[in-house]
Amino acid sequence: MKLFAFVGRSNTGKTTLIKLLILELKKRGYSLGTIKWCSHGFSLDLEGKDSWYLMEAGANAVALISDASTAFIKNNKVRPSIKNIAQSYFKNMDVVLSEGGRRETHIEKIEVLRKGVQMAPESPVDSLSAVIADFDVELSIPVFKPNEINKIANFIERGIKQRDISVSLEVDEKNITLNKFLQTEFANILSASVEPLHGIGGCPEEIDLSIQDASKIYLKINKKRVGLNRFLRKFILNIVLGMVRTLKGVPRKPRKLVIGIKYDI
């Protein structure tokens, strides 16, 4: 899952832009989630409704379920970060588009400018991934016009496919250092191996694989244990052992392998 936060003042066109990007990215086959930061608050549990009575009675959270949709209301003790919301509720999405999130750190931010409303970025330029403006502006980062939906979608698509990864490898309880190329190779091969599994999205956040004595194979996707049939167990074992054996200083028949892959949003 990759998160992009669209920031900027009110009336710069963020909502319209996100709507158009949802349509374009859906056409390209991506699953999407959206988050909207409401600075003035909001209410789903209207006074007099059952959900309102339940919250008034002291419930810390209420779920509303129908055949068509599900809603979840929870009292915040502290202001949640958009990044945490995305990780908690949109893990299986390819991309999440947030409207708002200027205060957020370590996420991709795109600032939207509009002539007569906001003429320059209010976020530090080095904290932005791109700017969208309906007038000419020169910056050291990519700049798009609001009507260049295809180009903006291309930019987001590249971000989805180029997620930052970290790969850890432990062989017989010894940590093995992998360079960036090998980390990418391990991540790509393991991701491609688990993608066909039923119920697994195309962009998992974490993959953990443990192999003991070449017979016990344990796989977790996003911290959930995943069962493997005999074919997949043998397939994954052969691929992983083949890759590990090419590494210097690794025994040809290791007793235990532990591989962890994490994708950053």
Side-chain angles (χ1 to χ4, degrees):
M1 179 267 295
K2 187 74 174 182
L3 171 63
F4 290 86
F6 289 79
V7 302
R9 294 182 187 175
S10 297
N11 299 318
T12 53
K14 298 189 297 295
T15 302
T16 299
L17 183 65
I18 290 173
K19 287 179 180 177
L20 293 173
L21 285 170
I22 289 172
L23 293 173
E24 178 59 33
L25 290 167
K26 287 293 287 184
K27 284 196 296 186
R28 300 185 185 196
Y30 292 103
S31 58
L32 289 103
T34 58
I35 299 172
K36 181 176 174 63
W37 174 253
C38 303
S39 57
H40 301 294
F42 69 93
S43 179
L44 291 178
D45 51 329
L46 299 177
E47 185 171 351
K49 295 292 186 180
D50 288 345
S51 58
W52 179 82
Y53 283 117
L54 294 171
M55 295 294 282
E56 284 293 300
N60 297 111
V62 173
L64 309 175
I65 303 171
S66 72
D67 290 340
S69 58
T70 301
F72 184 72
I73 308 168
K74 180 182 178 182
N75 288 327
N76 294 326
K77 293 183 179 179
V78 295
R79 171 178 171 165
S81 74
I82 288 174
K83 184 174 183 178
N84 287 342
I85 293 295
Q87 290 173 328
S88 297
Y89 299 104
F90 297 97
K91 268 189 159 311
N92 293 326
M93 299 294 171
D94 295 321
V95 59
V96 176
L97 305 181
S98 166
E99 183 178 337
R102 185 186 302 281
R103 299 182 191 177
E104 302 285 322
T105 57
H106 306 298
I107 63 173
E108 301 261 5
K109 283 188 280 189
I110 300 173
E111 189 144 1
V112 184
L113 311 179
R114 186 175 182 180
K115 192 172 183 179
V117 178
Q118 183 181 344
M119 299 295 291
E122 295 181 348
S123 304
V125 174
D126 60 4
S127 73
L128 297 174
S129 297
V131 161
I132 299 170
D134 62 353
F135 56 91
D136 291 335
V137 56
E138 291 188 11
L139 294 169
S140 58
I141 57 176
V143 178
F144 303 99
K145 290 290 196 301
N147 60 354
E148 294 180 321
I149 297 300
N150 192 60
K151 290 183 179 180
I152 301 170
N154 289 343
F155 178 80
I156 290 174
E157 190 171 35
R158 286 194 294 272
I160 297 171
K161 294 178 178 179
Q162 295 174 356
R163 299 185 298 167
D164 293 330
I165 58 171
S166 59
V167 179
S168 61
L169 173 63
E170 187 179 290
V171 180
D172 294 341
E173 300 183 354
K174 178 183 177 182
N175 291 323
I176 305 297
T177 301
L178 300 174
N179 61 34
K180 206 65 180 176
F181 172 77
L182 285 173
Q183 288 191 47
T184 302
E185 288 296 298
F186 269 84
N188 287 344
I189 288 174
L190 270 183
S191 295
S193 299
V194 304
E195 189 172 342
L197 296 176
H198 179 69
I200 303 300
C203 294
E205 297 297 327
E206 295 183 28
I207 301 175
D208 294 289
L209 178 68
S210 174
I211 301 174
Q212 300 178 33
D213 298 321
S215 60
K216 299 176 182 178
I217 301 178
Y218 305 98
L219 175 67
K220 287 185 178 180
I221 306 292
N222 296 337
K223 301 187 185 302
K224 288 186 178 181
R225 180 82 175 268
V226 178
L228 298 171
N229 60 35
R230 183 180 297 179
F231 171 79
L232 277 173
R233 290 166 66 88
K234 186 175 181 180
F235 177 71
I236 291 175
L237 176 65
N238 289 338
I239 285 181
V240 172
L241 286 179
M243 292 182 67
V244 169
R245 285 168 179 164
T246 65
L247 302 176
K248 188 178 293 186
V250 173
R252 184 159 184 81
K253 293 184 177 181
R255 298 184 307 277
K256 184 177 180 180
L257 297 174
V258 179
I259 301 174
I261 301 173
K262 288 188 178 182
Y263 292 87
D264 295 329
I265 66 174

